[in-house]
Amino acid sequence: MEENPNSQVVKGSLLNEEVSKGVREIFDWGVSFIFAIVICAFITMFVMFFTVSGDSMLPTLNNGDRLFVSKFMYTPQKGDIVTINTMDNLDKNIIKRVIATSGDSFEIDYDTHEVYVNGKLLDEPYIYEPTSLRGDWNIPVIVPNGYVVVMGDNRNHSFDSRFKDVGLIKTSQLYGKAFMVFWPFNRIRTLG
């Protein structure tokens, strides 16, 4: 065996001829295992996966769409599509759009089918059809600190903040912001 004069084998190194092939293989597997754990921890801390169930977010999201959700240090903003923990009252998690945040006034004029936040008409190019489905919750409202109002984009087929069983959502119930559809492949796109 020829030795390259520029390379050196350091005693105790895995490149040392005295180190068995088995020890090298165990080391390689160990490094791969640790790398996999680091990647899983990163994904668990920063990203979650969510599958859309139902038509309440049409036309933006379809039933069965699979999403990446950013959950690290998330602060809700108007217009964000969010995943919500409603296991206590609905026994499932839901996905909706944030319409109003803490301190905002929120109301719906059902005669004109228009939604107002802080007295200003919302520009909502993302909705499926004008809002006509009334809920059983008292509107208008001033959103208290630590809460948000959420609604589906398919307003007339969405169980959202207009209904007492959903109502105002605590910000602690928000998992995070959906930022990308990754399945099915023909619908892959980022969500703005």
Side-chain angles (χ1 to χ4, degrees):
M1 176 161 117
E2 289 184 30
E3 286 191 25
N4 183 341
N6 294 330
S7 66
Q8 295 179 344
V9 176
V10 178
K11 189 172 184 171
S13 164
L14 286 177
L15 297 175
N16 192 324
E17 290 178 9
E18 295 175 13
V19 175
S20 73
K21 185 177 181 180
V23 170
R24 283 186 221 158
E25 192 168 319
I26 289 171
F27 179 79
D28 289 343
W29 277 102
V31 169
S32 297
F33 181 72
I34 290 170
F35 181 73
I37 287 175
V38 168
I39 294 297
C40 288
F42 175 81
I43 288 172
T44 302
M45 288 176 55
F46 298 102
V47 177
M48 72 180 282
F49 306 101
F50 190 87
T51 302
V52 176
S53 177
D55 296 330
S56 72
M57 285 300 292
L58 285 173
T60 309
L61 299 171
N62 291 339
N63 184 45
D65 282 354
R66 294 187 183 173
L67 315 172
F68 288 126
V69 176
S70 172
K71 62 183 193 172
F72 183 69
M73 296 181 63
Y74 172 69
T75 302
Q77 303 293 317
K78 291 179 200 72
D80 288 352
I81 297 172
V82 294
T83 54
I84 306 160
N85 178 351
T86 55
M87 296 301 285
D88 290 343
N89 51 344
L90 298 181
D91 201 30
K92 64 180 180 177
N93 295 317
I94 61 174
I95 185 162
K96 303 293 176 197
R97 187 179 297 272
V98 175
I99 301 300
T101 58
S102 298
D104 289 336
S105 65
F106 167 76
E107 69 179 293
I108 300 172
D109 184 334
Y110 288 105
D111 295 329
T112 62
H113 311 286
E114 296 171 331
V115 177
Y116 291 86
V117 174
N118 299 324
K120 295 180 182 176
L121 175 65
L122 284 186
D123 178 27
E124 300 182 291
Y126 46 77
I127 64 172
Y128 192 68
E129 58 191 1
T131 307
S132 61
L133 176 68
R134 292 178 186 259
D136 57 4
W137 181 59
N138 293 329
I139 297 173
V141 68
I142 302 293
V143 182
N145 192 32
Y147 287 84
V148 296
V149 172
V150 297
M151 295 175 74
D153 290 356
N154 189 2
R155 296 287 165 76
N156 300 317
H157 300 279
S158 178
F159 193 59
D160 51 38
S161 286
R162 294 171 289 172
F163 296 89
K164 289 178 187 173
D165 286 343
V166 177
L168 295 171
I169 299 294
K170 292 179 186 175
T171 55
S172 62
Q173 290 177 261
L174 301 177
Y175 287 118
K177 176 183 176 180
F179 67 91
M180 183 178 185
V181 176
F182 70 89
W183 182 263
F185 286 127
N186 65 334
R187 290 185 45 78
I188 291 176
R189 69 189 190 289
T190 58
L191 301 169

